[in-house]
Every structure is written in structure tokens, then in C-alpha cells.
Amino acid sequence: MAVRIVNGTKLLTAEPPLAPSTILELLQSCDIVIPAPCGGNGTCGKCQVLVKDSSGISTRLACQTRVEDGMEIIIKHDLSMLVEETGVAQRFPVTRRGANTYGVAVDVGTTTVVCHLHDLESGKRLATASCMNPQVIFGADVISRISASTDGKLTALQDMIVSCLDSLIDDVCDTASIDRASVRDLVLVGNTVMEHLAAGFSPETIGVSPFEPLSLFGEEIALASLCPHVYFAPAISGYVGADISAGILATSLYQAVSPEILIDIGTNGEMVLGNAKRLVCCATAAGPAFEGVGIVHGMSASRGAISQVDVVDGELEIETLGGIDPIGICGSGLVDLMSCLLKLGVVDETGYLLDADELTGPLAMHLGVVDGSKVFFLTEDHEVYLTQRDIRSLQLAKAAICGGVMTLVDAYGCTLDDIAALKIAGGFGSHLSLASAANIGLFPPQLLDRARAVGNSAGEGASAVLISDVARADIRTIAATCDYLELSTSSVFNGYYIDAMGFEEVR
């Protein structure tokens, strides 16, 4: 049995690894990554591919379609990821390690993997590469990865991420014309589950109370296929990982005079409040809505994603990443859109999407019904739209983040007026309109005038640890002294979470 696969400009012929086999299993065996946030259960609809076979040409779910001899599979997904760099790692003193020696700093996110190549003598960054985390075929969030690992997929999950890192290191070395053999050091950051999977450790204990990991890292772990020295940066707890330790380092939160807040908004909404005297952190189960998962036409921040929405003359004006026709909407676009719909009265303060007959004028033309559910159409061809269920998913996610912030403030013993800065980390934060985020209550609106995006702080922190022994010592201190607040059993958090569910009057 042979199958043709068209992936961008690449064409290959492959044989299924087993029979019967789904298209998703075939693509996995060929190291071709496509989104499958539900883990191949057929519920998310994200693994669509174009299939040509004896039945004709049609779009189908890769996880639900059996491979047939002579089938042609066309991959439609553009998985190029956009990474925001700030270069703050270079403010740390460089520990010189000799000429012609190089290292890589990697941020292994649940969705995106980023790799930075550095000259270890000067500390200079030479190249950056990124891609989607191939583990997404097992699901979008850490809980699905934990479940997969306990179902016998731990080795496969580790092999996937090691192979991914190996490819990214090749890419950055090629870009900088560097001999791969001269890459001597690697620093890896990520949430605690991602670090477990990269190390080949079972994360099973993180998934059950009291959520204790096998390791909090802060040590070298042998991954000889990548490079001689691989340092796993220290995590803080089972659900606040080394990505947050690195973010605290990169943003100098641990050296601040007045209290500041750092939020890494993603599937697991990690955040920290504090200054040089004290740090307190927590993690909220925000869900993957901000990364486009669970949203009918949601997608990552890649080409074709609606990333910005504004109101112009009473109508919506949208922008996409790459300036091409929209094929979906990413987290920043979703937040903008919700803010706009609230301003226009298309969605009320409870999150209810109005019916077409409840509106007048051009906006009513955007409202319709698809598969029995109310939707708001974003494109003239009605191919991209927002559903009532999408709005509810966003409400749950934003309430978790805002509730977490307020719980931290309560635990720290300060007020919102005492907060000197609110720093939003990650790719989502880089594209996010802070005004829109405040309008929908993603964070307390009182903090808007002190809020700013800080880019990929996890990757910058990893770079700092790679090039500087001072940074490596600082991140160990950060992880060891940051207090962790468990929200799953907190009645205080539950109260703030419920209060943050609705939409207050927007500006």
C-alpha cells in the first residue's frame, strides 16, 4: 500500500505503519505535524486535510479517516510560528567559554518550541528557529500529555521532542553557518510537564493531588544525541515551571523595588507577584482558548490568523498575520473581537450573543446559524465565524486569569494600587491589545496603565542561563524561594473566579 503526501512544496510517498491506519497515524510516522488538540478523538476538528481518493476530493479529519492504497493527502496547515525577541539576556555578564564554542537555549512550550543559537564567547545571539511542538498530536494541554504518557506513550513523547530539538538545532546552525559539532551546551526551559517529557520522566504524579513532580530539575540530564551538556532549568512546582523561573529572571521581577506581576497566558495561565523581598506564584487552569484550541475556527499565531480586530465607522475591521486572507482566529484576535462585540452591543454583559432580529443595520448581516448554533460571521464567504460556545470558552479562560491575579494580590497582602507593573509574557501577550484585554476583564482594568508585553521572556531567560553563570545562580535562587499558592482548593480563588465570569461595562 502506498500513499502520496503533499506537504507545502514537498512531495513524498509513504506506507502506513500499521493496518488499518488513520491519516493522523501515517503523518505521525512520517514526522509530519498537524494540530490534533483533542488527541485524535475526532472532537476538535483541527486536523483537517485535503484527501483525494476513489470517492473524489474532499476535506476530512485526519484522525477519523482510514488510509487507502493510492490515496493522496494534501496538508493545508502553515505551522510557521512567530516569535517575539527582546534580547534582554545580554544584560547579564557573559561567562566566556572560549572561541568557536556555541550553545542553544530552548523554550519547550506546550504549543510552540523555540531555539536560540548563541556564541558562548561573546554571548551574541546568532539565529533563532521555532516550530509547533509535535506532541500536539496527543492533545493541546498538559493534562492530555500526562494522560498519553500514562497510556504507554512516554517514550514516544520524549522521542518527539528530542527529534524536534535536534531538527531546530540543525536549522539554527545552518542559518549561522556553524558546525553542529561545536554546539556544546543546551539550556532547556518549559513547564514542569514538558521538562518531564523531555527528560523521559513520567509526569503522572503531577496530574493527581497533591500534584508533586518527580523532579524540579536545576541539573544536567544526559541527552547525548543533542549535545554534550544539557541543563534543565529549575521549576518551582508541578504547575509552575522553569518557563516562569526564566521569565522572572528575564524581566528582573526578583530585583524589583515595588510589587510587580508577571503573567504567562496560555493553557495553564501561570503568574507571579512580588519583588526583591518576596515572590508568590500560582497557576490557573485557563484552558487552551487563548491558543485557539477549543475555538471552532481558532488557530495558533501563524499566517492567516486574525490577530487584530477594530471598530471603524460602526463596522469591524480585521487584520491577519502575514496580511493574507483569514483562515482562522488566534488568541489576540479573539480578545480584540470580544471587546469590539461588547462595544457594539452584539454581545451583552452576560456573554449572550444576540440574534439577528435583535440588531439593526449592517451588523445584523454578520449573525446567522450554523449547525443549529448561533454564530457571528467574520468573513464574507462565511467560512470563518465565532460561535456562542466560543464566547463561553473565552469567558471561562479570562475569568481564570483575572481570578488568579486577584487571589495573588489577596495572598500577598497588597492592593491593585500597590502594583507597579503588569507584565504579559509569551507570543500571545506580544500580539495582544492590552486595552481589549482590560475591556473584557482578562486582567483587572485598574492595571491597564501599568501593563506591557515583555515578549518571549522564557526564551530570553533560557538564553541568559546559557551564557551567564550569574544568571544560572540567580534562577536557582528564584526557583527555591518563590512561594507556590495552590488554587484548586482555594475558596478565595473560587469567589474571584465567579465574580470575573461576566463582562463589565467596556470603554
Side-chain angles (χ1 to χ4, degrees):
M1 181 185 289
V3 177
R4 281 165 49 92
I5 303 173
V6 181
N7 185 20
T9 59
K10 299 178 181 179
L11 173 66
L12 66 145
T13 301
E15 294 185 5
L18 49 93
S21 173
T22 65
I23 291 176
L24 186 62
E25 290 168 336
L26 173 63
L27 297 180
Q28 178 184 350
S29 71
C30 296
D31 294 326
I32 296 175
V33 180
I34 64 172
C38 68
N41 293 319
T43 57
C44 70
K46 301 297 184 184
C47 64
Q48 293 184 355
V49 293
L50 193 63
V51 176
K52 180 180 180 181
D53 59 11
S54 57
S55 301
I57 302 177
S58 61
T59 298
R60 306 178 202 173
L61 295 181
C63 69
Q64 301 296 303
T65 306
R66 295 294 179 185
V67 175
E68 297 178 2
D69 188 32
M71 176 183 281
E72 184 169 305
I73 303 163
I74 302 171
I75 311 298
K76 302 191 296 180
H77 303 279
D78 179 359
L79 299 182
S80 57
M81 314 303 290
L82 303 177
V83 180
E84 295 291 331
E85 299 183 50
T86 62
V88 298
Q90 302 255 190
R91 75 164 183 270
F92 289 90
V94 176
T95 303
R96 299 187 181 276
R97 295 185 175 90
N100 300 317
T101 57
Y102 302 91
V104 290
V106 295
D107 172 19
V108 180
T110 312
T111 304
T112 309
V113 182
V114 181
C115 176
H116 300 301
L117 173 69
H118 285 263
D119 182 326
L120 293 182
E121 182 183 25
S122 66
K124 182 180 178 181
R125 180 172 295 168
L126 304 177
T128 296
S130 63
C131 67
M132 180 172 283
N133 187 327
Q135 297 169 342
V136 295
I137 67 169
F138 290 113
D141 54 34
V142 294
I143 300 302
S144 63
R145 311 286 171 84
I146 293 173
S147 178
S149 71
T150 57
D151 288 341
K153 302 294 195 305
L154 177 59
T155 299
L157 286 160
Q158 184 191 27
D159 289 346
M160 280 181 176
I161 200 61
V162 171
S163 176
C164 172
L165 294 177
D166 189 57
S167 178
L168 287 176
I169 295 171
D170 281 343
D171 288 346
V172 291
C173 287
D174 288 345
T175 299
S177 299
I178 297 300
D179 180 4
R180 169 68 185 266
S182 61
V183 175
R184 308 297 297 169
D185 292 288
L186 184 152
V187 169
L188 185 148
V189 305
N191 66 55
T192 314
V193 172
M194 292 302 104
E195 287 203 304
H196 273 64
L197 296 178
F201 298 168
S202 171
E204 182 176 3
T205 57
I206 303 176
V208 294
S209 183
F211 316 113
E212 294 291 340
L214 293 183
S215 174
L216 289 175
F217 302 98
E219 60 185 340
E220 286 195 5
I221 294 176
L223 291 175
S225 62
L226 294 179
C227 70
H229 303 286
V230 179
Y231 179 76
F232 281 62
I236 297 169
S237 72
Y239 282 108
V240 179
D243 50 350
I244 299 304
S245 303
I248 295 170
L249 178 75
T251 59
S252 299
L253 192 71
Y254 69 112
Q255 297 172 329
V257 176
S258 300
E260 298 179 354
I261 297 176
L262 172 68
I263 311 178
D264 190 336
I265 302 176
T267 304
N268 198 35
E270 299 149 307
M271 60 192 75
V272 58
L273 165 61
N275 58 6
K277 294 181 179 180
R278 182 187 175 203
L279 295 169
V280 180
C281 65
C282 68
T284 64
F290 296 123
E291 295 175 344
V293 179
I295 306 301
V296 172
H297 290 285
M299 61 183 292
S300 61
S302 50
R303 283 174 52 85
I306 296 173
S307 60
Q308 294 183 328
V309 184
D310 200 1
V311 178
V312 178
D313 297 328
E315 263 285 7
L316 293 182
E317 186 174 275
I318 65 176
E319 292 185 21
T320 65
L321 295 174
I324 64 175
D325 290 339
I327 60 175
I329 185 167
C330 65
S332 61
L334 183 64
V335 172
D336 263 2
L337 175 61
M338 185 54 55
S339 179
C340 291
L341 294 183
L342 289 165
K343 289 178 182 178
L344 294 169
V346 179
V347 174
D348 69 15
E349 67 277 3
T350 71
Y352 171 76
L353 178 64
L354 272 60
D355 294 315
D357 58 10
E358 295 178 275
L359 285 176
T360 58
L363 283 174
M365 302 298 293
H366 287 269
L367 291 164
V369 176
V370 174
D371 295 331
S373 300
K374 283 191 299 183
V375 303
F376 186 90
F377 294 112
L378 296 171
T379 56
E380 291 184 2
D381 61 8
H382 290 184
E383 287 295 315
V384 181
Y385 50 81
L386 183 78
T387 71
Q388 179 67 74
R389 186 173 179 178
D390 293 340
I391 295 171
R392 298 305 183 201
S393 295
L394 180 59
Q395 283 182 271
L396 295 172
K398 70 99 177 180
I401 298 297
C402 192
V405 170
M406 292 307 302
T407 305
L408 276 185
V409 170
D410 186 277
Y412 200 82
C414 64
T415 69
L416 292 175
D417 290 337
D418 296 323
I419 307 300
L422 171 63
K423 300 174 179 180
I424 311 293
F428 171 68
S430 298
H431 297 288
L432 179 68
S433 163
L434 297 176
S436 294
N439 278 343
I440 72 166
L442 176 59
F443 58 78
Q446 301 95 310
L447 297 178
L448 176 59
D449 62 343
R450 286 157 279 169
R452 65 183 177 91
V454 294
N456 181 22
S457 61
E460 295 296 339
S463 289
V465 174
L466 173 71
I467 65 176
S468 174
D469 287 345
V470 171
R472 188 167 298 203
D474 282 358
I475 199 172
R476 285 197 294 265
T477 301
I478 288 167
T481 59
C482 187
D483 294 328
Y484 173 67
L485 182 63
E486 177 57 54
L487 298 187
S488 65
T489 56
S490 170
S491 60
V492 174
F493 170 72
N494 286 337
Y496 282 126
Y497 176 68
I498 293 170
D499 290 344
M501 198 75 71
F503 297 107
E504 297 182 2
E505 183 178 354
V506 299
R507 291 171 281 179

